[in-house]
Amino acid sequence: MSSPLHEYPRGPRLSLREFRPDDLLAWQRIAGDPRVAAHTPWPALATPDTTGAWLSETARMAQLQPRRSFYLAVEQYGDLIGSATLDILSFPHRQGEIGVYLRPDRWAEGLGTEASRLLLELAFSRLELHRVQTTVDPRNTAGMRVAEHVKMRPEGVLLDRFLVGGHWQDRAMYAITMPEWRGGGRGGAHAAGAAGDAGDAGAAAAGVSGAAGAAAEAAADVPGDAPAAEAAEGFDAFSKPAAGGNGGAATPTTVSFEGGPEEPVLGAPVPPEAEEQHADAEQEAREKFADGAFDDDEESEPQVLTAQIVMEQIEVVHILPREP
């Protein structure tokens, strides 16, 4: 079970890395602990089989292009103490969600805050996301303090967000944007930062509770790969080593961040040529009606609305008689 290797951010005490097959027993002790699972949106990983399925799904999703989910092991001085997750919610809108899950004997040491800062560094500096959120069980007051320590804003409570063990769970939402993370705030500096973000992103067209939950569902026979979007320029974040022959140097493959077909870029301006074509078609239809081009003696046919569906929007082109 191979995983791509990256240089992830490091802190004074913690480091992030990809999960490995030999993490199975250590990760099972953490993710199978009822104290950890009490605030997660997935059941405890209580057996080697469910834990192995989680690790397999983690490795599979790490190979997808473009990569949407980062399920990373958290190490303290070489000892696995938890996981840190970053899920890309939207590529064109540059949205992400983070989550941190630590071994109970490492709670109340400030490690959750350090791991969250490493995830925000990954999200904003490496992946150039614009907004990152996290959702926390409102009963988990320590988790909410961690979100506040990393300067995330409360954005309300999501009622009945998850159904776990037959019971609905709420989630408190916290978020931070790149300008806020850089210290610019949400006012005029935020607007200026947004323009700067666009320049930094180059030609980009475009917690985790959700990401870790998706991997846990793989233990219950989750369907296979989703279609990957085509690679595009911009948002160059990491170079993933491709398999090299005879132990030679691997050729880096750029991980791109172009939105997939399920996420069309909405609201893009219509090209002037398209506007002219639509105007000409509309004018031609008006002239035909005005000149009596449609013969009343012909058999009356019901008329249907014809629409043209494009990536950016759905536009009504003109009205045509239905073909026999």
Side-chain angles (χ1 to χ4, degrees):
M1 184 166 55
S2 61
S3 297
L5 302 177
H6 299 304
E7 286 295 330
Y8 291 110
R10 301 175 63 90
R13 296 172 292 174
L14 302 181
S15 60
L16 305 178
R17 63 165 174 82
E18 302 285 351
F19 271 100
R20 302 188 301 252
D22 58 3
D23 291 324
L24 190 149
L25 294 180
W27 178 234
Q28 180 189 337
R29 286 193 292 269
I30 298 171
D33 192 311
R35 293 169 292 177
V36 176
H39 302 299
T40 60
W42 71 89
L45 303 179
T47 67
D49 288 342
T50 56
T51 306
W54 192 95
L55 291 174
S56 296
E57 178 69 0
T58 296
R60 183 191 71 81
M61 297 189 72
Q63 302 289 343
L64 296 180
Q65 295 294 332
R67 185 172 180 178
R68 179 179 291 274
S69 298
F70 295 80
Y71 306 163
L72 305 177
V74 179
E75 280 191 340
Q76 183 182 26
Y77 310 128
D79 186 21
L80 178 67
I81 66 166
S83 73
T85 57
L86 169 61
D87 189 48
I88 310 298
L89 302 179
S90 172
F91 293 120
H93 303 296
R94 297 155 63 190
Q95 306 284 305
E97 184 171 359
I98 63 172
V100 175
Y101 310 93
L102 298 181
R103 209 166 66 194
D105 64 345
R106 291 296 188 270
W107 293 355
E109 297 180 9
L111 297 178
T113 299
E114 183 174 333
S116 297
R117 285 178 176 145
L118 295 180
L119 286 174
L120 292 176
E121 172 74 18
L122 172 62
F124 291 131
S125 291
R126 308 287 182 86
L127 303 179
E128 295 183 323
L129 298 183
H130 177 73
R131 177 184 175 276
V132 174
Q133 67 185 38
T134 189
T135 59
V136 185
D137 189 328
R139 300 168 296 178
N140 184 4
T141 55
M144 291 190 288
R145 284 198 300 270
V146 168
E148 294 166 356
H149 288 163
V150 296
K151 309 303 181 184
M152 301 184 89
R153 292 172 286 98
E155 292 192 342
V157 176
L158 307 176
L159 300 180
D160 295 347
R161 179 67 175 88
F162 296 112
L163 180 62
V164 182
H167 300 282
W168 288 104
Q169 293 185 3
D170 300 341
R171 285 294 184 268
M173 172 81 79
Y174 289 80
I176 186 172
T177 63
M178 181 187 286
E180 291 173 311
W181 180 71
R182 290 176 172 173
R186 290 283 299 172
H190 168 261
D197 294 346
D200 294 342
V208 197
S209 50
E217 289 173 1
D221 297 329
V222 170
D225 297 7
E230 295 181 359
E233 296 181 359
F235 277 98
D236 296 337
F238 286 109
S239 291
K240 188 183 78 171
N246 302 324
T251 302
T253 302
T254 300
V255 179
S256 70
F257 286 79
E258 179 186 66
E262 75 284 1
E263 294 177 320
V265 182
L266 300 179
V270 180
E273 312 86 66
E275 289 185 349
E276 293 176 1
Q277 292 175 0
H278 297 328
D280 292 344
E282 184 178 357
Q283 181 63 29
E284 181 181 351
R286 287 200 188 101
E287 292 174 356
K288 286 184 178 181
F289 278 110
D291 297 340
F294 298 102
D295 192 350
D296 294 337
D297 294 335
E298 295 180 359
E299 182 180 355
S300 177
E301 293 264 3
Q303 295 178 343
V304 295
L305 194 63
T306 303
Q308 178 182 6
I309 302 177
V310 295
M311 280 291 291
E312 292 79 8
Q313 59 274 315
I314 299 177
E315 295 183 350
V316 177
V317 179
H318 48 74
I319 299 176
L320 295 175
R322 187 178 62 184
E323 293 183 1

